[in-house]
Structures are given as C-alpha cells and as structure tokens.
Amino acid sequence: MTLTFLGTRGNIDISTRRHRRHTSTLVSHRGVQVMIDCGADWLRHVDRVAPDAIVLTHAHPDHIDGLRHGSPCPVYAPRAVWRALARWPIPERHPLTLRVPSNIRGIHLKAFPLDHSVIAPAVGYRITAGGATIFYAPDVLRIRHAADALTGIRLYVGDGATIARPIVRVEGRKGAAVGHAPIVTQLEWCAEAGVRRAIFTHCGRAIVAGRPDVEERIAAVGRAERIETRIAHDGLRIVLR
Ligand SMILES: [Zn+2]
Ligand SMILES: [Zn+2]
C-alpha cells in the first residue's frame, strides 16, 4: 500500500507551500487509486488526480466541496454523508454501512463512527491492502470502538488540528461533545492499542503557522510513548510493505 498525502491543510484560513490544499490522501495498491476526501480546494483539480474511486469521511466543506460539480469516478460514503450531497450531480453513489467491510478493487475498508460533529457525522477508515492495515481519521474527537479500530494497525493517520489543547464544544439537544482531539491524546490512544507509528494530517494553525521545530517537538512526545511520529505535508509519500 502506498499513501500519498495530496493535501494536508485543515479547516483554517491560512496555507503554506507545505500545507497548501485541504486534507486528502491517495491510497494506492496494484494500480488502483482511492482518494479519501475531496474538499473545496480540490474543485477543478480532481481530474488531475484521476482516482478510481473517492471515499468520504464526513460532510464538512473541507472534505466534500470539491465534488460540488460532480465526480469523475464512483464515490463511496456512509449514508449520513449522502444526505448532505443529495442534490449534487454525482451519478455513481455507493453507500457504506458502518463497521461492515467493503472492497474497492482490492483495497479493503471499514468505516468506524467517530465523535466530531452532530450535523456532519464523521467516520474513520480501517484500510487494508497488500498485507498492511492503517487507520485513517483526519477529523476526530473520539473513536467510538477504539480497540477494534486500532488493534493490529501498522500506521495511525490522525487529526493535526491541535497539538496539546482539545478543540471541543457541546452541541445539539443531547449535548454531544464535538471537535478535535489534540495530537497528544491521539498518541495516548495509539499507545494503548500498541500502535508504533503515527502521521498527522489535517494540520491546524499550530502546525501550519507554528515554529520550525514543531515536528520535532511532536516527535519527542511520540518517543515518550515509543511511537514514531511525523507531520504530513502536501506531496509526502509513504510506502507500507
Ligand atoms: Zn476537516
Ligand atoms: Zn470536520
């Protein structure tokens, strides 16, 4: 499995050369390319990526708005995401059922519900291809079935919106917590599940406009938990064998 971080910018109003476009990642295996998320920055640029399929995590604009004018390929998403895209001209729509495995031409994935938003319910994907398994959660406050999602994975790809302080508020009639878990908390989840490698995308202001040593400081937190930790940037490629 090869991961190409096409975009690594979170939902913020600044961008840099390293974090230019909204968070999207290409999963490739044996010539099949699946693009995960397609935010506003990808409108008019999806054709150049030429994916075989697009998979969506949730219906926030920085994850879906690139499909506003349609899609060049089939799109896979949980039913809650499709409700937000009901009027968009996407001809090939594949609904995904939570925690039921799907196979997109040899790339296997399973959607796990996450706490992140009430109006745009989010999932993370456990993805297996070519003998490697990863978990991908670009926007996450909490993973609901964390042990099932994370046990046995080679790599955790997580939410870089914030480093040490949670971005959290309470929303809706039931008072659900929504927002983003900090990197330090996600590293605790990884440590608990025995995950040894983590890469953070969906970078927030603390990373994008942070000090030049921000990646090293985050790596030091990871080392304390015996986790190899990196910050993704646009164009980064990771090969997992
Ligand atoms: Zn986002
Ligand atoms: Zn979001």
Side-chain angles (χ1 to χ4, degrees):
M1 183 197 304
T2 301
L3 298 179
T4 308
F5 291 85
L6 301 170
T8 56
R9 186 165 78 92
N11 192 21
I12 52 174
D13 54 8
I14 51 166
S15 71
T16 59
R17 194 176 50 81
R18 284 174 78 78
H19 308 287
R20 188 171 299 284
R21 292 229 169 111
H22 282 142
T23 298
S24 177
T25 303
L26 198 66
V27 179
S28 318
H29 177 62
R30 294 198 171 158
V32 176
Q33 300 200 308
V34 173
M35 181 181 188
I36 310 179
D37 285 338
C38 190
D41 287 349
W42 293 96
L43 195 67
R44 287 184 274 274
H45 297 285
V46 190
D47 285 350
R48 201 160 34 87
V49 178
D52 297 291
I54 296 172
V55 174
L56 303 173
T57 59
H58 65 301
H60 276 156
D62 58 317
H63 298 262
I64 60 167
D65 269 25
L67 299 176
R68 203 165 260 289
H69 299 162
S71 169
C73 62
V75 178
Y76 294 74
R79 284 184 174 78
V81 177
W82 283 121
R83 280 195 281 278
L85 276 60
R87 289 157 186 270
W88 294 13
I90 301 169
E92 264 200 80
R93 297 162 175 250
H94 296 275
L96 296 173
T97 305
L98 300 181
R99 302 183 74 198
V100 172
S102 302
N103 178 358
I104 305 177
R105 295 172 55 192
I107 296 175
H108 300 261
L109 49 89
K110 200 192 255 190
F112 282 79
L114 307 175
D115 289 351
H116 167 59
S117 165
V118 173
I119 45 168
V123 299
Y125 288 103
R126 186 175 165 109
I127 305 168
T128 302
T133 299
I134 68 162
F135 190 74
Y136 185 86
D139 294 44
V140 58
L141 178 65
R142 189 177 72 96
I143 303 170
R144 295 212 194 130
H145 308 274
D148 287 357
L150 302 183
T151 302
I153 60 170
R154 190 86 62 82
L155 171 70
Y156 173 84
V157 181
D159 184 347
T162 171
I163 297 170
R165 249 176 294 165
I167 299 174
V168 64
R169 58 180 194 282
V170 173
E171 230 180 47
R173 266 171 299 156
K174 288 183 193 158
V178 299
H180 301 264
I183 287 175
V184 293
T185 301
Q186 294 172 73
L187 288 171
E188 285 168 15
W189 303 340
C190 288
E192 233 161 82
V195 178
R196 290 282 156 255
R197 193 175 179 196
I199 297 182
F200 292 92
T201 184
H202 197 268
C203 300
R205 189 169 281 275
I207 290 171
V208 175
R211 297 195 334 223
D213 67 343
V214 65
E215 182 164 15
E216 178 44 41
R217 286 192 294 133
I218 291 165
V221 177
R223 271 196 297 277
E225 307 267 18
R226 294 198 300 129
I227 302 164
E228 184 196 322
T229 306
R230 276 191 84 169
I231 301 301
H233 57 82
D234 295 18
L236 175 68
R237 245 169 167 230
I238 303 279
V239 181
L240 299 166
R241 284 181 226 280

